[in-house]
Amino acid sequence: MSEQSPRDLFVRFQRNALAGRPGFDAEMLAPDVVVEQPFAPPANRRTEGRDNVVAMTRAGREALPVVFEGFSEVEIHETADPEVIIAEYRLTATVPRTGTRARGAFVVVLRAANGRIAHWREYQDTAAFAAALA
């Protein structure tokens, strides 16, 4: 994998999600990556290490019965640190068994190191997707 910027890594995450794959693939993650989801259930708020993040992402994708349709209102904010971006976006998904559509807001702070994701902190509108799945 060639050296990728934080923006490149975010675009790769989007492509993976829209293709029905887990958002993260092993090649885009640093060996000691940390993923934080402060609004997730306590057991899922922090995941450390590439293998653990890949397993968590794969399990999460398999357990979530939705088809991601698109990212909208995407805004990427550069920071004073060239290895860090803040991405704001809305993600639209459909629940195939019911046809219910949902759209949730997300904010991600992404830190890259050596062309891989080193830290990902995600804040998401969990209520929007929970309501669609109910």
Side-chain angles (χ1 to χ4, degrees):
M1 182 174 91
S2 64
E3 187 85 5
Q4 295 192 352
S5 71
R7 186 181 291 265
D8 295 334
L9 292 162
F10 181 74
V11 168
R12 185 169 173 169
F13 162 79
Q14 290 176 290
R15 278 196 309 261
N16 286 346
L18 293 177
R21 297 186 301 264
F24 303 124
D25 57 72
E27 293 175 355
M28 67 192 292
L29 300 172
D32 58 349
V33 64
V34 173
V35 172
E36 293 180 302
Q37 301 173 85
F39 298 137
N44 300 328
R45 289 188 181 158
R46 183 178 175 95
T47 306
E48 298 180 24
R50 179 188 295 145
D51 293 341
N52 292 331
V53 169
V54 168
M56 178 262 308
T57 305
R58 186 175 298 126
R61 185 67 203 110
E62 290 170 0
L64 191 60
V66 302
V67 174
F68 294 121
E69 297 174 359
F71 288 77
S72 62
E73 300 177 40
V74 177
E75 294 202 29
I76 306 292
H77 305 281
E78 305 291 337
T79 69
D81 183 339
E83 294 183 330
V84 176
I85 62 168
I86 300 169
E88 296 181 81
Y89 60 94
R90 293 191 180 275
L91 182 58
T92 302
T94 296
V95 180
R97 69 177 166 73
T98 64
T100 304
R101 292 183 85 209
R103 195 171 104 147
F106 292 76
V107 175
V108 169
V109 180
L110 185 163
R111 173 179 295 283
N114 302 314
R116 298 182 193 275
I117 296 173
H119 191 244
W120 176 281
R121 184 177 299 122
E122 178 179 282
Y123 301 90
Q124 61 176 281
D125 179 1
T126 54
F129 289 111
L133 292 169

